[in-house]
Amino acid sequence: MTVAPVLPDQALDYDLAEQADVDEQAHTAEPWITIVWNDPVNLMNYVAFVFESYFGYPEAKANKLMLQVHKEGKAVVSSGSMERMEADVQAMHGYGLWATMQRASD
Amino acid sequence: MTPFKSVPEGYQSHWEDTERIVVAALTLEIADLLRQQTGATEPTGADSIAALYAAFDEPTEIHDPAVQRLLPDATDDVELAAEFRRLTQNDLAMSKIQALRRWAKLLTADQRNIDHGLVIVPRGQARAVAAALTDIRLVLAQRLGLETDDDVERLHAALFDGGLADDIRNYWASVFVTVGYAQQSLVDEMIRDLRASGRPAATWD
């Protein structure tokens, strides 16, 4: 069987300079937040793809959140009503990402 | 296998017969594992009434740690997590099972592709396939005891430095890396298409 290197860092060829434009994170005024946690399996390009395609985030914001998950172990990826966060967590689990929700104030 | 490349029919790559057979068999095994562990039912035909009733039952408790990772608790709040599980576990498990079966079918069903050594993922199925590839790797990682980024990096290093001492571990580590290589190249092409198309609404299909 062919074996090819897929070291997670190889996915990291994004333009970090673009991150200056990234929006600030989820509003703290929203009552619930969805958190995505780091895991050793998901590839960086896949996590960025999920953030970009599911949430509709711009490339720079999706990459910033992906790097935050990778480096800091977690990132708040969305905020809003409990029902919306339930939908987001369910979607993240569908994509194989490890996500949880909690009250923004916790 | 070669990296997936965008072609008019979808995303295409070349696979050796052994790669195709090993990954397809593993994929179906994981679909069966998910079904056994969750008791997931199809929400179709005669089963639909059963599925409706199932939504009011307590969801099956999952004992396999790999399946627990595929269907993790949604929150620290025990009651809310149980409620979430009751409402979503069956659907989530079923959609994962269907995605895994779809991927296995893409590997094995088209004799003309097999004759040419091709695997073609239609664009409409690419998200489901990418998710299935993650699920396969999550199960393999649990079986291989990979818990941290460092564990995975050490595994890669050992694999490319002459292989692992344990033959069985070496075999599954190779499958883990191969599936990752497939996913990485597939997702690279999907990202390119997503950006070129001006960001369509998020849909599974």
Side-chain angles (χ1 to χ4, degrees), chain A residues 8 38-43, chain B residues 69 137-138 141 146-153 156 176:
Chain A
N38 191 37
D39 69 61
V41 171
N42 271 302
L43 303 173
Chain B
R69 171 57 188 86
R137 276 167 52 84
L138 286 168
L146 305 174
E147 293 178 356
T148 66
D149 290 353
D150 286 347
D151 289 344
V152 172
E153 278 166 30
H156 286 158
F176 177 78

Side-chain angles (χ1 to χ4, degrees), chain B residues 4 19-21 45 49 56 72-73 104 108-109 115 117-119 125-126 130 151 157-158 188 190 200:
Chain B
F4 278 98
E19 293 172 324
R20 187 191 295 273
I21 291 162
I49 302 285
F56 294 96
D73 281 339
T108 55
D115 290 343
L118 294 176
V119 174
Q125 298 188 32
D151 289 344
D188 277 343
M190 290 166 69

Side-chain angles (χ1 to χ4, degrees), chain A residues 4 41-42 45 52 57 93 101, chain B residues 74 96 134 137 177 188 195:
Chain A
V41 171
N42 271 302
N45 73 340
E52 205 172 324
Y57 290 152
H93 291 179
M101 57 188 281
Chain B
K96 285 176 181 293
T134 276
R137 276 167 52 84
V177 169
D188 277 343
R195 289 177 188 159

Side-chain angles (χ1 to χ4, degrees), chain A:
Chain A
M1 182 175 286
T2 311
V3 170
V6 197
L7 295 172
D9 284 344
Q10 290 185 333
L12 184 55
D13 59 357
Y14 301 106
D15 185 2
L16 297 180
E18 285 181 35
Q19 288 181 19
D21 301 331
V22 169
D23 302 344
E24 272 315 299
Q25 260 189 24
H27 295 270
T28 46
E30 300 279 13
W32 287 81
I33 53 175
T34 295
I35 296 172
V36 168
W37 301 81
N38 191 37
D39 69 61
V41 171
N42 271 302
L43 303 173
M44 296 170 91
N45 73 340
Y46 180 64
V47 175
F49 170 79
V50 170
F51 293 166
E52 205 172 324
S53 62
Y54 173 77
F55 293 111
Y57 290 152
E59 178 182 346
K61 179 170 181 172
N63 285 335
K64 184 191 174 190
L65 288 171
M66 176 275 290
L67 287 172
Q68 198 183 340
V69 172
H70 179 63
K71 289 177 179 162
E72 297 171 26
K74 63 175 181 173
V76 175
V77 296
S78 66
S79 63
S81 67
M82 189 173 92
E83 290 73 21
R84 272 191 48 209
M85 295 306 97
E86 283 176 340
D88 285 353
V89 168
Q90 185 177 359
M92 292 303 103
H93 291 179
Y95 280 108
L97 270 53
W98 177 23
T100 58
M101 57 188 281
Q102 65 186 55
R103 284 191 181 78
S105 54
D106 287 354

Side-chain angles (χ1 to χ4, degrees), chain B residues 4 7 16 20 39 49-50 57-58 66 75 99-101 109 115 122-123 131 141 143 166-167 170 173 180 186 191 203:
Chain B
F4 278 98
V7 296
E16 303 288 332
R20 187 191 295 273
I49 302 285
D57 290 342
E58 286 303 307
T75 163
L100 287 161
R101 287 181 181 157
D115 290 343
R123 283 187 177 72
R143 298 300 192 246
D166 179 337
D167 281 350
N170 191 70
L186 177 66
I191 289 176
T203 52

Side-chain angles (χ1 to χ4, degrees), chain B residues 77-95:
Chain B
D77 180 325
V78 176
E79 265 181 47
L80 185 60
E83 171 78 359
F84 181 90
R85 208 170 268 289
R86 196 171 62 76
L87 294 172
T88 64
Q89 179 167 295
N90 191 73
D91 285 356
L92 256 177
M94 221 40 244
S95 74

